Amino acid sequence: MSTDARLDTSKVARTNGSTPATASKPNRAGSLANWADERLGLGTAMKKNLRKVFPDHWSFMLGEIALWSFVVLLLTGVFLTLWYNPSMGHITYEGSYDQLRGVGMSEAMASTLHLSFDVRGGLLMRQMHHWAAMIFIASMLVHLLRVYFTGAHRKPRELNWVIGCLLLLLGTLEGFTGYSLPDDLLSGTGIRAADGFLKATPVAGSYMSFFLFGGEFPGESVIPRLYIVHVLLIPGLLLGLIAAHMMLLVYHKHTQWPGPGRTEQNVVGFPMLPVYAAKAGGFFFIVFGVVAIMGGLLTINPVWKFGPYDPTKVTAGSQPDWYMGWPDGLLRIMPGWESVIFGYTISWNVMVPILIVPPLMLVILMLLPFIEGWITGDKREHHLLQRPRNAPTRTAVMVALMTFYGLAWAAGGNDIIAIKLESDINNITYFMRVAIFLGPLLAFWITRRWCISLQRHDNETLLHGYETGIIMRDPQGGYSERHAPIDGRRAYTLTARDRDHVLTAGEDTDEAGVAKPNSRTERVRAKLSAWAFGHNVQKPTAAELEAAHHHESHEAELQSGLDHPAEGRAMDDHQLRTVDEAPLRER
Amino acid sequence: MRLLNRTAGRLSRHRRGPLAGLVVLLLGLLLTGGLYTALSPAQAETQASETEQVAEGKKLFLASCAFCHGKNGEGIATVREGYQVGPSLVGVGAAAVHFQVDTGRMPMANSAQQAPKKPVVFNDEEIAALAAYVASLGPGPAIPDEQDYSIEGLSEEEREEAIARGGQIFLTNCTACHNFNGAGGALPRGGYAPSLDGVEPVHIYEAMLTGPQQMPNFSNGNLGPEEKRDVIAYLESLKAAPEYGGFALGGLGPVSEGLFAWIVGIGGLVVAAVWIASHTTRSTRSKADAS
Ligand code: HEM
């Protein structure tokens, strides 16, 4: 207990000086908290976690967008369940939407129309739910990109990366099942496509389809089944995985950008309470607000215009939601190859774009940290982030994957592109067939060169200072630009990175001339390592820096003859944070 | 002239009737006669106005259309594959001419995959004359009348039924090309089904009746006149109804929704994240200043 003379104890204890102090009666909230703490021990656990330090950077909040949009999904989804009726029973619509009154449809569709037109706030909730779903999955993707580009997937966070990939998969499936629930023309078209995909599986296809639909497509049971998957099964899994994701985050502590005072052993940032909680909580309201505004102002999935599902109908612009767009695009550009083996038709045209490539991409995505770990042979823990340019090959790999994704995605909107750009849909398809292979390679090459050039530029800045924009004329009449040295923190930040090590394969044989067991994989690894890191530009050595600074001060002396000094400081980089702004460090 | 058109319209409507063959024969004779009168200097009093209109139409036709469709509308054969100078207009009817010229598609400016809409070149009288002339080449559907596509005369209840029925017909027959919202869609080889937004009812009726380009011909045998009327009633009702969900985003479906989710949703939230992250420093700085 503090014995500070200034401490005012009158709030917590009464004393008349001659009798011992008694604790004042705690207020209600206090006693309740005390009651709970004595039984649950929350206080001690919270004390540590509430002071947990989080570093601060906008890109660290991308994952939060996903978290908060998931919360919005839960809230709006529960509202929808109160009116939505997952039944394929046939009824005649008699609600207030004129254009469909008297039309026969499933109860699922009718209840969705009821939600849209006859439940107060129902359409807003439907649209918010759908916009939140789109944002949920999009934010997971941008979050994933941030993690990968900054190297946050490296040891010890590989498993959290895998959890993230599973969240992405489950979110996509959740979105697909939700999209199917209203039983309108588009969702029916989507289910029918899914039925086709199942049936394209060799041998087991028709059995799987019959199992899902409880008989022949469309049957009577698919909507009730998808409903349970949508409101119970996947949300449960998502909640569990999100909890695991967050627990690992707290356990590993957040990564941070390198800078003065930031090491692999500490975290510099703000405590959970009050700063970070306020910011995160505020961000929830922003996410909620953006979703609410979009739900209120922008039409999404106007099921009343699609009308009820009917296998004889189809509409132009039948696309899945955006996150299913890239497999759809692959499907659209795939040539119609089929082969017949032992009387079974193998539909490559469906299998390759739907059943082979997307799962393969997911596996590649999950394995990325492990592949990288194997090539670098790096077993250290990493808590300091890397700038994308300082891992040129990694950055280029992700840009290549993004290019592939983007092209496939664009192919999924080929009809819309054709009308909006007044071009020929066939030509777009031919173009995409080539671009899907060449584009990623080109993107890889350009990105890697770009990163390496940026690395070179960083070294230049370190060695010769930054360009002040001041042009000087020497007595001979030649012009040169004056460079001024960068300040210490900036130099520290630029050099706060490891040198890359290119692995070399050991001898193939040991001293006795016997082939070593792992020499073959080791040679492959050495080759990959040389390919991945051999071109990188390493930061200057201390001696190089020393020499450069020596040269610089010499130059400064020469310039001191000027009657007014060349002022370049004004152009210093102010974006970089200073340490005193980050008041807390955690060990 | 209206009379002639209407006769032809009725004819096409009842083309499958038992007397159709006879009527066609009679009308063919009538038209040959009409054509003869149009071309010969001698004119009978009663047919004066009609023949004048046809003659006027022919003049316009020769000036603006003949170099693609032939001097007598017989069409000009394909020069090379995929390139069409102009198809024969014999039997396309007044409805086709009215549709093509009144939407600005004809006269086509240059041979392309599909004639785009342009500002209309002719006034109503000239269009009527052109239509009369082409109709005189061979029997075809006439320009529909207001009462053919209007639901004004129906009771409130009948109207609602007509609209709901029209919606289902539209979804069955048209959305595959024109999209659920009538926003249009792409077709193979650079073709496209145009947006139906702002298209006049008479043109919708004529489009169904004549099936321009890659659009199938919904003859009255396929889609009765009342069903055509209902489709139009449905499309008009969509126009009259508010956008219940807010901005329709071009009515293009999930593609534009995806774009908005990324640009407005993710874009806006990333801006918010940058904003929040850049604002903590200020609060601590002021604290530091105070101490
Ligand atoms: C990751 C989470 C989720 C995603 C991605 C998601 C996605 C979707 C989508 C895209 C729809 C179609 C909405 C429409 O346009 O009509 C939908 C419908 C629906 N969702 Fe979700 N959802 C999620 C979570 C939930 C949860 C947690 C619940 C309830 C507990 C729920 C309940 C419903 C219901 C009842 C519908 C059908 C209502 C209707 O279509 O109007 N959803 N969901």
Side-chain angles (χ1 to χ4, degrees):
Chain A
M1 237 314 86
S2 161
T3 53
D4 194 321
R6 281 170 300 161
L7 199 70
D8 175 16
T9 54
S10 64
K11 287 217 176 68
V12 288
R14 277 173 310 219
T15 174
N16 57 12
S18 56
T19 48
T22 46
S24 70
K25 217 171 156 235
N27 64 11
R28 281 203 175 178
S31 55
L32 188 69
N34 202 35
W35 185 90
D37 187 30
E38 280 169 9
R39 282 156 188 83
L40 301 170
L42 286 176
T44 1
M46 297 271 267
K47 214 176 283 164
K48 182 150 174 281
N49 285 320
L50 293 182
R51 301 303 293 173
K52 197 104 204 151
V53 167
F54 286 90
D56 206 13
H57 188 260
W58 66 268
S59 71
F60 301 165
M61 303 183 80
L62 297 174
E64 256 174 69
I65 304 180
L67 183 64
W68 298 137
S69 45
F70 181 68
V71 174
V72 176
L73 281 167
L74 289 176
L75 295 175
T76 51
V78 169
F79 180 95
L80 296 179
T81 55
L82 302 182
W83 283 277
Y84 174 76
N85 177 2
S87 154
M88 294 176 91
H90 197 83
I91 56 164
T92 305
Y93 178 70
E94 294 296 350
S96 46
Y97 183 66
D98 287 345
Q99 279 92 333
L100 288 175
R101 198 170 307 127
V103 173
M105 58 182 68
S106 66
E107 285 180 283
M109 173 74 182
S111 65
T112 307
L113 289 173
H114 178 72
L115 252 171
S116 307
F117 293 106
D118 300 298
V119 174
R120 192 174 296 263
L123 182 55
L124 176 67
M125 287 295 157
R126 267 196 62 230
Q127 300 205 122
M128 278 179 70
H129 191 69
H130 207 141
W131 281 121
M134 309 270 261
I135 290 174
F136 176 56
I137 300 169
S139 58
M140 281 197 275
L141 266 191
V142 286
H143 172 57
L144 176 152
L145 292 180
R146 193 290 285 174
V147 167
Y148 191 75
F149 278 136
T150 59
H153 58 292
R154 292 172 300 168
K155 191 179 169 187
R157 296 182 177 76
E158 300 100 322
L159 284 182
N160 227 9
W161 170 269
V162 172
I163 291 180
C165 293
L166 291 176
L167 282 170
L168 187 62
L169 172 70
L170 285 174
T172 308
L173 291 176
E174 177 74 347
F176 179 79
T177 50
Y179 186 83
S180 307
L181 292 181
D183 202 24
D184 60 282
L185 186 53
L186 279 195
S187 54
T189 309
I191 296 184
R192 163 171 247 178
D195 174 50
F197 302 153
L198 282 182
K199 285 183 176 151
T201 317
V203 190
S206 346
Y207 299 101
M208 279 159 53
S209 163
F210 269 63
F211 179 70
L212 174 64
F213 291 94
E216 188 73 64
F217 169 86
E220 293 270 300
S221 35
V222 66
I223 297 252
R225 287 178 183 185
L226 289 179
Y227 181 65
I228 288 303
V229 173
H230 184 78
V231 301
L232 194 68
L233 188 62
I234 301 185
L237 290 172
L238 278 171
L239 270 174
L241 283 174
I242 290 176
H245 200 70
M246 302 316 291
M247 265 148 52
L248 277 177
L249 167 72
V250 169
Y251 173 69
H252 290 140
K253 302 197 175 74
H254 205 290
T255 50
Q256 61 183 343
W257 289 107
R262 298 166 183 216
T263 69
E264 292 281 11
Q265 278 78 41
N266 69 4
V267 187
V268 179
F270 295 95
M272 181 70 186
L273 263 186
V275 182
Y276 208 74
K279 291 212 292 180
F283 200 37
F284 169 68
F285 289 107
I286 292 183
V287 172
F288 192 93
V290 168
V291 173
I293 289 174
M294 292 181 80
L297 297 182
L298 307 176
T299 307
I300 188 164
N301 206 16
V303 290
W304 55 94
K305 288 203 178 150
F306 306 142
Y309 179 57
D310 170 349
T312 62
K313 293 176 187 153
V314 66
T315 170
S318 306
Q319 255 100 0
D321 268 353
W322 72 262
Y323 40 85
M324 293 290 218
W326 68 278
D328 186 36
L330 293 177
L331 188 66
R332 284 170 189 233
I333 59 176
M334 180 77 194
W337 292 335
E338 285 183 352
S339 46
V340 179
I341 300 174
F342 302 125
Y344 286 108
T345 305
I346 309 284
S347 314
W348 301 111
N349 49 356
V350 180
M351 275 178 65
V352 172
I354 303 292
L355 302 177
I356 297 177
V357 176
L360 189 72
M361 292 290 283
L362 188 73
V363 170
I364 291 178
L365 196 67
M366 285 191 187
L367 290 182
L368 281 175
F370 302 101
I371 297 174
E372 182 177 328
W374 182 72
I375 295 180
T376 54
D378 188 353
K379 301 271 185 289
R380 293 167 303 165
E381 292 206 349
H382 292 279
H383 301 287
L384 286 179
L385 296 174
Q386 288 175 305
R387 295 169 89 195
R389 69 181 62 171
N390 286 331
T393 305
R394 174 207 296 154
T395 304
V397 164
M398 186 46 90
V399 174
L401 289 175
M402 284 164 72
T403 309
F404 176 83
Y405 188 101
L407 286 168
W409 194 16
N414 58 358
D415 52 338
I416 308 287
I417 294 176
I419 40 174
K420 287 296 154 198
L421 301 186
E422 301 195 359
S423 45
D424 181 342
I425 196 166
N426 297 56
N427 289 343
I428 295 177
T429 302
Y430 301 143
F431 171 79
M432 286 297 182
R433 281 179 186 168
V434 180
I436 200 89
F437 293 106
L438 292 187
L441 291 178
L442 196 67
F444 178 88
W445 184 75
I446 293 177
T447 311
R448 205 158 91 140
R449 297 306 328 162
W450 195 335
C451 287
I452 290 172
S453 306
L454 285 172
Q455 284 190 313
R456 214 165 267 146
H457 178 255
D458 280 351
N459 276 4
E460 217 117 277
T461 315
L462 277 170
L463 292 174
H464 308 301
Y466 68 100
E467 297 162 359
T468 57
I470 296 169
I471 307 295
M472 291 193 307
R473 196 173 142 190
D474 61 27
Q476 283 75 36
Y479 290 92
S480 62
E481 184 176 4
R482 183 164 187 267
H483 285 238
I486 54 174
D487 68 33
R489 358 180 100 264
R490 178 126 186 256
Y492 179 92
T493 309
L494 281 181
T495 46
R497 64 175 175 108
D498 295 333
R499 286 168 204 286
D500 302 305
H501 292 287
V502 177
L503 293 180
T504 43
E507 294 289 304
D508 282 357
T509 52
D510 59 19
E511 292 97 83
V514 181
K516 278 188 181 169
N518 276 335
S519 67
R520 210 187 142 78
T521 45
E522 218 158 87
R523 255 181 294 141
V524 173
R525 178 150 91 156
K527 278 224 180 80
L528 279 173
S529 175
W531 168 78
F533 307 112
H535 302 274
N536 294 3
V537 178
Q538 303 306 330
K539 66 181 177 190
T541 60
E544 282 168 340
L545 279 172
E546 192 60 35
H549 289 166
H550 195 73
H551 170 76
E552 222 158 59
S553 49
H554 176 65
E555 190 141 279
E557 257 164 45
L558 289 181
Q559 287 166 10
S560 61
L562 296 169
D563 43 355
H564 54 88
E567 186 48 74
R569 288 276 144 198
M571 281 157 279
D572 269 3
D573 189 343
H574 284 292
Q575 280 121 301
L576 285 155
R577 296 274 162 65
T578 52
V579 214
D580 5 305
E581 288 170 338
L584 266 185
R585 280 180 217 174
E586 188 182 47
R587 282 209 60 96
Chain B
M1 183 53 227
R2 273 241 166 281
L3 198 109
L4 178 73
N5 277 333
R6 227 171 276 158
T7 339
R10 294 234 178 80
L11 171 92
S12 77
R13 213 174 288 162
H14 301 294
R15 211 185 310 200
R16 281 155 207 258
L19 290 179
L22 194 64
V23 178
V24 167
L25 191 72
L26 275 177
L27 206 91
L29 288 172
L30 199 79
L31 281 173
T32 328
L35 204 60
Y36 176 72
T37 23
L39 296 174
S40 63
Q43 287 176 7
E45 265 299 296
T46 49
Q47 291 174 327
S49 65
E50 273 173 32
T51 38
E52 254 170 46
Q53 201 181 21
V54 170
E56 169 68 14
K58 173 153 183 132
K59 217 157 63 197
L60 289 168
F61 190 87
L62 285 173
S64 312
C65 325
F67 55 93
C68 290
H69 289 289
K71 283 210 180 59
N72 298 308
E74 75 280 10
I76 291 179
T78 303
V79 182
R80 57 184 150 85
E81 219 200 324
Y83 175 89
Q84 202 178 19
V85 181
S88 160
L89 298 186
V90 177
V92 301
V97 178
H98 186 256
F99 172 79
Q100 299 282 352
V101 182
D102 206 34
T103 61
R105 286 184 167 79
M106 292 291 145
M108 211 168 156
N110 42 24
S111 290
Q113 178 56 240
Q114 186 166 326
K117 276 177 123 165
K118 295 189 300 297
V120 182
V121 179
F122 298 100
N123 64 27
D124 287 351
E125 269 158 43
E126 291 168 329
I127 294 172
L130 276 168
Y133 168 68
V134 172
S136 74
L137 300 176
I143 303 170
D145 269 340
E146 174 102 32
Q147 72 236 33
D148 287 334
Y149 50 81
S150 160
I151 52 168
E152 286 300 309
L154 303 183
S155 73
E156 186 65 30
E157 202 172 308
E158 284 173 325
R159 267 190 228 176
E160 272 186 13
E161 273 171 24
I163 288 173
R165 202 165 347 115
Q168 293 308 298
I169 298 170
F170 182 71
L171 282 162
T172 312
N173 294 294
C174 318
T175 47
C177 298
H178 286 285
N179 151 312
F180 59 90
N181 218 8
L187 295 174
R189 310 241 155 264
Y192 59 92
S195 161
L196 302 183
D197 191 31
V199 178
E200 282 172 39
V202 62
H203 295 145
I204 304 179
Y205 200 102
E206 287 166 345
M208 290 188 267
L209 206 55
T210 64
Q213 282 280 300
Q214 295 182 59
M215 174 157 159
N217 188 336
F218 296 91
S219 71
N220 286 338
N222 277 335
L223 204 64
E226 276 184 10
E227 294 174 308
K228 290 198 177 77
R229 178 199 69 192
D230 295 348
V231 169
I232 292 168
Y234 173 72
L235 287 171
E236 294 294 301
S237 83
L238 277 192
K239 258 181 248 171
E243 284 294 348
Y244 296 103
F247 296 113
L249 313 183
L252 292 173
V255 171
S256 50
E257 292 166 3
L259 279 182
F260 272 81
W262 274 90
I263 295 169
V264 178
I266 292 295
L269 288 171
V270 167
V271 169
V274 173
W275 180 74
I276 291 183
S278 71
H279 269 65
T280 0
T281 41
R282 190 175 296 164
S283 66
T284 52
R285 189 170 292 157
S286 61
K287 216 183 282 166
D289 291 348
S291 61

